[in-house]
Every structure is written in structure tokens, then in C-alpha cells.
Amino acid sequence: MNEDIFAPRIVQNLLDTDFYKITMMQAVLHNYPNAEVEWEFRFRNSEDLAPYLAEIRYQIEQLAEVSVTHDQLAYLEKIPFVKPDFIRFLSLFRFNLRYVQVGLDDAGQLAIRIRGPWLHVILYEIPLLAIVSEVRNRYRYRDVTIEQVGERLYEKIDWLKAQATAQELAGLQLADFGTRRRFSYPVQEQVVRILKHDFPGRFVGTSNVHLAREFELRPIGTMAHEWFMAHQQLGPRLVDSQVAALECWVREYRGLLGIALTDCIGMDAFVKDFDLYFGKLFDGLRHDSGDPLAWAEKAIALYQRLGIDPASKTLIFSDGLDFAKMLQLYRALHQRINVSFGIGTQLTCDIPGVTPMNMVIKMTACNGAPVAKISDSPGKTQCRDENFVAYLRHVFKVA
């Protein structure tokens, strides 16, 4: 095994995850400590992962040894909105393997299911995806070198410098969102190192908490789809679930972590619930499916309708971006509203000859009842229960 590009340990520690998992976990501890949830792995590549099953199982078993150190806890303590009781909970947290089932489904394909208390399984998603991705890459791409990673990233940086004006480069804001489908941990580490020192715009941080700490960067992230999905079964009427999710977030973070994800049910349904109260409290919105320019126009129109100057808000784009799409969106929007960009796979698994994995782990149930993500891209709809999807569409008037 090439140890320069494949480290002995796939998941470095408890902080080797996306920041929004930490922020949501604190909110779950304080608001829904007894909620039970179910998750399911979905793989969209036409490729057989069954040969890697034994190694994937072994690497998942290694998670039982993962914990957080006193130095890492001290790092989290410096973040103003991370509460002392949550720090104490994290100090005791361990991955409980009885909540995870790994095997093959009826078609002989890799199947991963997670079931247990939301508070105790919420941190599984990102490490499991990173494990599946890296195990598969260790078998398929043994000859890739860390030098290729740097060469490819510098090619893209040189392209950006050639295409963008000095003024445009000064305005570009980029974050690394690449943990879940990274080629390997050393690749993501190298990408973050290069971007910190050589990105021609403003490298604002990384979603990976461990790397943010290592490189003295800002950890980036607020909430994910699961936050809205779980609220579909957490008490209020279904039609009020988005409002309940946003309201709970506001109570927990009191105006901090103010970027709202819009596409769990779709942007049109979201804007109906995002009133002046939320418009003033949240700093901006994140795009994760559908046409980004059409979405941005709806966001700008929303703020104008609420009497809020769009220039005082920020739109964050995070759906399948590369440098070319980033520059295109920046040019189209930056004079009307603040924009920032989170790039994942195209940073941490963009290597010549390598096909990245297209996979997700999504919540399928909360408290024994189905939940769904509809999104603004039909192919991203997630739910095991077609009747519930139909009901959700009916309630929110989604075509």
C-alpha cells in the first residue's frame, strides 16, 4: 500500500468529520435526546463493492476505538456556541457498533443500515462514507501518488488565475467540503494545505473539524438535510415541520450558525415558510440541488419581498461544484448578493484516472415513522415509503 496517499488509519479521530455533524449533535442533545432514527446507505455507481465487504467491516470495527482527546476538547471549548454539557458528553462518546449492520442485500450489493438513538448514531454518516470510499480506492487505485493530487489542484488554480480578473479573485470565497467522498485522508490533508497557502481567492475554511484544528482554519457548517427530515416526525403537524426545524435551530444557537439549508422539500416550499422573522435571524441560505441560478433568483426575490437588502445576506453553493461553475456563479451574482462556495468531491477526489464514488447515507425514519428528502433535483429524492413521499408532496403542494 502506498503509505503517502493511504494512511494506516482511515478515520483519524472523532473530529475527523463534518462540522455540521457536531453542531446538529449538540442541538439533538439539548432538544431530542430520546429520538430514534434509521439510516440507509445508497450507492449510485454501477460498480460491485461486495469484494471489499470484509475490509469495510474491519475498518468500521476500528471506529469503536475512536475517541476525542483533551486537546481536541479544549479546541471545541474555544468555539463560543459549543456548550459545556455537550463537551462533557463528547468526552464520553464512543461509536457503538451494535447500531450498525453491514452486509450484502438480495442483489449482492453492499448494504449498510444504522438504527438507534439519534444522539448516538448521528456521527456515523461521515466516517462510514469515508471508509467505504477509501477502502474501495485502496483496491482500485494502488498506484496513485500524492504528487498527482498536488499537480491536479495546481492545474485548476492556474486555470482560475488565467480566467478570472484580479478583482474577481479577490472576491472569491472557497471552503473544502470534501470529507465524505475523499480519495483518502492524506489527499484531503494535502488539498487543504495547498488551498490554505496558494488559493488565489479567499480560502475561508474546511468542513472537516480535525483539519480545521490542524491548519488553524475556520470549521464550516451549520445544518444538513437530516435536521429537517427528522422534524417531519418530531411532534408538530407535517406542514409545520420546516418552521419547527428552523425555530429549534434559532433557540439553540441564538442567531449564530445562521445559514439555512433550503432543499429538503424544495426551494418553493421553503420560501413559503421562511418569513421575515427567519429572514432577519439567518445570515443566508445554502444551495444543494437544482439549477443554482434559478435558486439564487428565488432567494434574492425572497429577500426583496421581505424588505431585506440581499446585499446583507449570503448564498452558499455546495452542489457538485468545480472551479468553472464557481467562477460562473460568482460572475452572475456577486454584485447583487454575497456568495461563497463549498467544493467537495472535485477537490478531494479529482485525480486523473480516478472515478469518484457517488454515494450517500440518508435518514429513512424517525421514531418509527418514515421521513423524506424531496430536494430540487428529482434524482436526489430519498425515502423508502412512496406513500409518504406522495403525502409530503401533497401537504407542501410540490408538483
Side-chain angles (χ1 to χ4, degrees):
M1 184 174 70
N2 182 348
E3 293 188 0
D4 288 338
I5 203 162
F6 294 117
R9 179 184 288 276
I10 291 179
V11 178
Q12 307 306 299
N13 52 58
L14 203 63
L15 300 190
D16 188 9
T17 191
D18 283 341
F19 189 48
Y20 64 34
K21 283 295 180 176
I22 301 295
T23 58
M24 288 190 296
M25 189 181 188
Q26 175 174 286
V28 173
L29 172 67
H30 292 155
N31 296 278
Y32 308 110
N34 297 315
E36 294 274 332
V37 298
E38 298 177 33
W39 298 71
E40 208 170 81
F41 172 80
R42 297 188 181 181
F43 183 53
R44 298 171 182 143
N45 294 54
S46 55
E47 159 183 359
D48 184 13
L49 299 179
Y52 318 134
L53 176 61
E55 180 64 17
I56 289 171
R57 275 181 170 158
Y58 171 76
Q59 292 293 340
I60 291 174
E61 289 168 0
Q62 302 310 298
L63 290 177
E65 301 175 5
V66 170
S67 62
V68 63
T69 67
H70 292 299
D71 288 346
Q72 291 158 0
L73 291 171
Y75 167 78
L76 293 177
E77 285 175 348
K78 295 176 183 176
I79 301 174
F81 47 78
V82 177
K83 306 291 176 58
D85 65 323
F86 179 57
I87 294 289
R88 289 192 293 270
F89 180 82
L90 274 184
S91 71
L92 301 171
F93 180 85
R94 297 293 184 276
F95 285 102
N96 190 327
L97 298 178
R98 69 187 178 92
Y99 296 134
V100 183
Q101 293 180 323
V102 185
L104 301 178
D105 61 19
D106 294 340
Q109 295 299 312
L110 178 67
I112 302 175
R113 290 184 175 85
I114 309 165
R115 183 176 182 177
W118 193 10
L119 182 62
H120 294 276
V121 301
I122 189 170
L123 290 186
Y124 262 116
E125 178 191 0
I126 308 302
L128 289 182
L129 290 172
I131 284 170
V132 172
S133 180
E134 182 163 343
V135 167
R136 171 261 203 178
N137 292 335
R138 288 181 178 189
Y139 281 90
R140 288 196 59 174
Y141 305 110
R142 298 174 184 269
D143 297 328
V144 170
T145 66
I146 201 72
E147 287 75 22
Q148 288 176 282
V149 175
E151 289 169 2
R152 176 64 183 132
L153 183 51
Y154 279 118
E155 283 176 10
K156 293 187 289 188
I157 288 173
D158 290 342
W159 177 89
L160 187 61
K161 288 178 179 177
Q163 295 293 319
T165 65
Q167 187 175 9
E168 288 171 338
L169 290 175
L172 283 173
Q173 296 186 53
L174 171 66
D176 156 52
F177 281 12
T179 303
R180 63 183 58 221
R181 299 185 189 100
R182 67 192 183 194
F183 183 87
S184 66
Y185 169 75
V187 166
Q188 186 178 19
E189 184 182 42
Q190 177 75 336
V191 165
V192 170
R193 180 182 293 110
I194 291 172
L195 290 175
K196 178 180 179 180
H197 294 291
D198 296 318
F199 181 65
R202 182 178 164 214
F203 183 53
V204 295
T206 173
S207 65
N208 188 290
V209 189
H210 168 66
L211 288 172
R213 175 175 176 264
E214 291 293 305
F215 287 96
E216 298 181 334
L217 295 165
R218 178 187 169 199
I220 305 290
T222 55
M223 64 185 74
H225 296 103
E226 69 182 276
W227 184 251
F228 290 93
M229 294 169 75
H231 278 83
Q232 294 165 10
Q233 301 295 349
L234 284 175
R237 298 180 304 164
L238 181 59
V239 72
D240 297 323
S241 59
Q242 290 194 121
V243 172
L246 293 168
E247 188 77 55
C248 186
W249 196 262
V250 168
R251 289 198 310 271
E252 179 68 27
Y253 289 111
R254 315 299 297 176
L256 295 170
L257 291 174
I259 299 295
L261 182 61
T262 66
D263 74 323
C264 185
I265 300 172
M267 184 61 164
D268 291 339
F270 182 86
V271 298
K272 293 175 184 176
D273 288 335
F274 199 76
D275 61 11
L276 182 61
Y277 172 73
F278 293 129
K280 287 187 173 182
L281 283 173
F282 281 86
D283 300 319
L285 307 172
R286 178 162 75 90
H287 171 267
D288 200 48
S289 65
D291 184 319
L293 285 176
W295 175 86
E297 291 297 340
K298 291 178 181 179
I300 292 171
L302 167 64
Y303 284 124
Q304 291 172 335
R305 189 163 62 250
L306 295 175
I308 296 173
D309 181 4
S312 68
K313 300 296 180 179
T314 298
L315 301 183
I316 295 181
F317 296 86
S318 60
D319 179 33
L321 293 181
D322 55 25
F323 278 22
K325 291 179 184 176
M326 175 177 68
L327 183 58
Q328 177 191 12
L329 289 169
Y330 177 81
R331 286 172 169 170
L333 298 168
H334 78 279
Q335 292 181 325
R336 302 167 64 197
I337 194 166
N338 298 307
V339 290
S340 188
F341 305 91
I343 301 183
T345 309
Q346 287 296 317
L347 283 177
T348 60
C349 199
D350 183 18
I351 303 169
V354 173
T355 301
M357 297 193 71
N358 187 355
M359 59 179 177
V360 295
I361 294 177
K362 287 295 180 186
M363 187 181 288
T364 57
C366 179
N367 287 342
V371 298
K373 168 196 167 191
I374 294 178
S375 90
D376 287 310
S377 297
K380 287 189 171 184
T381 296
Q382 301 280 344
C383 186
R384 285 190 310 205
D385 189 327
E386 293 182 4
N387 291 328
F388 181 74
V389 173
Y391 178 52
L392 190 66
R393 290 184 183 279
H394 170 72
V395 167
F396 284 93
K397 297 179 174 59
V398 177

